[in-house]
């Protein structure tokens, strides 16, 4: 338990911050420390993978909102992608992504150059969005059907729709422009699991 003595001590209130949810516990970094090359290493088996859908709604046929978490555990690390996706047809498209990574060990020193320490959770945050009228200028599709999450974001081909296949939703979301984060939410940060 980490205590925060700055919170209203004069009133006799003591707040206990448990876990990693308090923004003040995250220490900012200048760049991402998530070693994506380790996540792409096919010699490391994936011990656990799950795509957990926590919330979905069709906004009364006016768009989509979904909140999901993808979890991957490998012998040396774990990785989590948390995504909130909101599409209000002909109004806006918005995506909030948070990536978490933790290395179990680095005994062979294979990722030393990234300054990644074991038992430290690294976090990357990106918020992307565009107003509907901006999509055309960004060379992104303006047809709401293309922005739908269907069948696990697989390609929708000519046979099914009579139209050329559209790219998966994840690749469209990656092309949305990033927007500024709140001042107290660093783009890159880390959290020490084991107190030093």
């Amino acid at each position: 338990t980490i205590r925060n003595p700055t919170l209203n001590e004069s009133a006799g209130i003591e707040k206990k911050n448990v876990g990693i949810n308090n923004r003040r516990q995250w220490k900012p970094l200048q760049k991402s420390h998530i070693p994506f090359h380790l996540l792409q290493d096919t010699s490391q088996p994936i011990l656990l993978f799950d795509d957990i859908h926590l919330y979905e709604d069709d906004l009364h046929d006016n768009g989509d909102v979904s909140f999901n978490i993808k979890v991957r555990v490998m012998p040396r690390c774990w990785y989590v992608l948390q995504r909130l996706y909101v599409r209000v047809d002909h109004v806006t498209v918005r995506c909030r992504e948070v990536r978490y990574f933790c290395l179990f060990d680095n005994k062979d020193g294979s990722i030393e150059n990234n300054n990644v320490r074991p038992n430290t959770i690294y976090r990357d945050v990106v918020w992307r969005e565009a107003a509907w009228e901006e999509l055309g200028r960004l060379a992104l599709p303006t047809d709401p059907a293309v922005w739908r999450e269907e069948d696990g974001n697989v390609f929708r081909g000519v046979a099914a729709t009579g139209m050329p296949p559209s790219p998966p939703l994840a690749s469209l979301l990656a092309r949305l422009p990033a927007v500024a984060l709140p001042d107290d939410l660093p783009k890159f940060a880390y959290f020490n699991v084991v107190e030093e």
Side-chain angles (χ1 to χ4, degrees), residues 69-86:
I69 296 176
K70 293 183 181 183
V71 179
R72 183 197 305 183
V73 178
M74 298 165 70
R76 297 185 56 203
C77 63
W78 59 258
Y79 174 77
V80 173
L81 169 61
Q82 171 186 309
R83 178 181 290 149
L84 171 67
Y85 167 63
V86 178

Side-chain angles (χ1 to χ4, degrees), residues 165-182:
S166 57
L169 182 62
S171 68
L172 291 175
L173 294 176
R175 292 171 45 200
L176 288 172
V179 296
L181 298 172

